[in-house]
Amino acid sequence: MLKYNDQLIMALEIGSTKTVCGVGKLSHAGRLSILGYHEESSISWRKGRIGDNELAIRFFRNIVEAVQHSTGGRPYVVHVGMANHELYITRQNFKHVFSETAHRISEEDICFVFQMLKALAARENNRIIHVVPTGFYIDNQLVKEPLDLSGKCFSIEAIVISMNTEALDNLLMLLKLAGIKVKEVILGSLASADAVLNATEKEFGSVYVDIGGQTTAIVVYSHGFLQDVVVLPVGSNYITGDLVFGLGISYTAAEYLKLELGLTPVRNLAEEIEVKSGSELKRVSARLILDIIEARINEILDLIKKNIEIYNCEGLIKTGFVFGGGGAKLAGLVDYAEKHLDMPVRVTGPDAYLDAGTSTEAVSLGVIGLIRFRENQSLLPAKPDTSNILGTGWLEKIKLWAVKK
């Protein structure tokens, strides 16, 4: 359970389509109070770098200054959520065999396997951002709480998320020059999933799907552990591009048709819909619009299905899917996805996580996820002091410590 924390947190979510900045804190009621919020279209990234550094510095400075007044001069910490396409995701395991046949697992043993796993996962020119356990094993048997259990062999499996060191250093340099001191960098979709999925969904198996502009992230939970993170190289901007190419209309007109019509059945598919494209009005086929949108959505849903097939076959996903991200706003997506995936699907909004006095009109789940994620994290020291990691709720604490640099 989240605890009240008076620390202000500024969440800066850098996406491929838009960049969002919000300032908030956890209220006594266990919900978030968003004190300031602003978003702008993102500047272009190429191979992890921003081409015009001066433009980038002004961009970051302006978006943060737009919400700084809401802090009332109080100090705050800044956490940056990165878009999926800027990060590398791998799996890693480490097995520790003891000399005695029935070794009792201690706090030191747990910290040791984490340290060794991080050392094994280190890659040249990459910096680790998260190490998230997917399971603890004693003598090859999955356990949730290995502390004080006995066995010959203790192992851990984890998902390791890293970023190119040069690209990360470049980003941090630009943010520093813009007057922004970053405390941590976080995978945005992981933060969103952590906030959106409740304990029951994580235990019985659920999938969070974050449909962004350029990518779609799949985050799988089961047995209370993160099981997988997959990034698909396709997002909702591809639908807009397909409409531009297929209908011969402007990008603005295509975006309008995508959001307004989406996958909603049209009464008469033979009719033509009038849309303003640039300075002229064009009539386009309703049937063709739907065919174009369905083709790209089918591709995304098929890729989701393929990537979670192993978990479905093993019966690990019992509660269904939760969709988020800008692409989840597509009209008719829930019903269409349920039929395609043959499982329950829901789209979650920000109102379930915000304080009653906070406007939910435009707040993104990414900002909410970043703040909630780090409200938990702020309860821990930066380094693994075992006296603080373990004890009551130690498993959650060790998971939280593991995502620190």
Side-chain angles (χ1 to χ4, degrees), residues 132-144:
V132 188
T134 60
F136 297 107
Y137 297 84
I138 296 180
D139 295 338
N140 298 319
Q141 296 295 314
L142 177 65
V143 297
K144 286 191 176 182

Side-chain angles (χ1 to χ4, degrees), residues 15 84 102 111 130 154 160 253 271 300 319 325 364 385 397:
N84 306 312
C111 286
H130 302 296
F154 177 40
V160 180
E271 74 174 295
I300 294 173
T319 63
S364 75
D385 175 353
K397 292 185 178 183

Side-chain angles (χ1 to χ4, degrees), residues 282-294:
K282 295 194 68 171
R283 298 186 67 84
V284 293
S285 165
R287 173 75 269 177
L288 185 55
I289 295 171
L290 192 59
D291 284 347
I292 291 172
I293 295 175
E294 282 185 352

Side-chain angles (χ1 to χ4, degrees), residues 102-315:
H103 178 86
R104 187 176 180 181
I105 307 299
S106 67
E107 299 172 358
E108 290 75 15
D109 294 326
I110 295 169
C111 286
F112 174 75
V113 296
F114 268 103
Q115 295 281 25
M116 293 302 298
L117 185 138
K118 290 181 76 173
L120 288 172
R123 296 173 56 191
E124 188 177 1
N125 300 323
N126 274 2
R127 189 176 304 167
I128 293 175
I129 295 174
H130 302 296
V131 177
V132 188
T134 60
F136 297 107
Y137 297 84
I138 296 180
D139 295 338
N140 298 319
Q141 296 295 314
L142 177 65
V143 297
K144 286 191 176 182
E145 299 188 8
L147 184 64
D148 290 333
L149 297 181
S150 298
K152 172 73 175 177
C153 175
F154 177 40
S155 58
I156 178 178
E157 293 180 354
I159 290 172
V160 180
I161 301 169
S162 58
M163 185 173 178
N164 177 271
T165 302
E166 183 182 359
L168 180 57
D169 287 343
N170 182 61
L171 172 64
L172 295 177
M173 177 196 70
L174 293 174
L175 291 170
K176 184 178 180 179
L177 291 173
I180 306 166
K181 186 178 180 181
V182 178
K183 185 178 181 183
E184 301 210 42
V185 177
I186 305 162
L187 173 59
S189 55
L190 184 62
S192 296
D194 189 65
V196 166
L197 301 179
N198 60 42
T200 301
E201 289 171 322
K202 290 177 182 177
E203 180 63 32
F204 289 97
S206 188
V207 181
Y208 176 70
V209 179
D210 186 352
I211 307 176
Q214 299 294 333
T215 62
T216 296
I218 306 168
V219 183
V220 183
Y221 274 91
S222 185
H223 300 308
F225 286 100
L226 178 71
Q227 297 295 327
D228 209 351
V229 179
V230 178
V231 178
L232 307 177
V234 60
S236 63
N237 286 356
Y238 285 66
I239 301 173
T240 309
D242 293 343
L243 291 170
V244 170
F245 180 79
L247 302 176
I249 58 178
S250 68
Y251 192 90
T252 302
E255 187 73 9
Y256 169 80
L257 289 176
K258 179 183 76 174
L259 295 177
E260 288 299 314
L261 298 181
L263 296 162
T264 305
V266 180
R267 290 182 182 179
N268 182 9
L269 290 174
E271 74 174 295
E272 292 187 332
I273 295 174
E274 194 173 76
V275 61
K276 186 175 182 181
S277 178
S279 59
E280 62 177 322
L281 289 175
K282 295 194 68 171
R283 298 186 67 84
V284 293
S285 165
R287 173 75 269 177
L288 185 55
I289 295 171
L290 192 59
D291 284 347
I292 291 172
I293 295 175
E294 282 185 352
R296 186 62 76 174
I297 288 296
N298 286 342
E299 178 193 9
I300 294 173
L301 295 176
D302 284 341
L303 287 170
I304 293 171
K305 235 176 155 178
K306 181 180 179 181
N307 279 278
I308 66 155
E309 188 174 8
I310 183 172
Y311 304 105
N312 247 346
C313 290
E314 295 177 2

Side-chain angles (χ1 to χ4, degrees), residues 316-335:
L316 297 179
I317 302 171
K318 295 182 172 68
T319 63
F321 294 80
V322 180
F323 280 28
K329 298 176 183 178
L330 191 69
L333 178 61
V334 171
D335 291 339

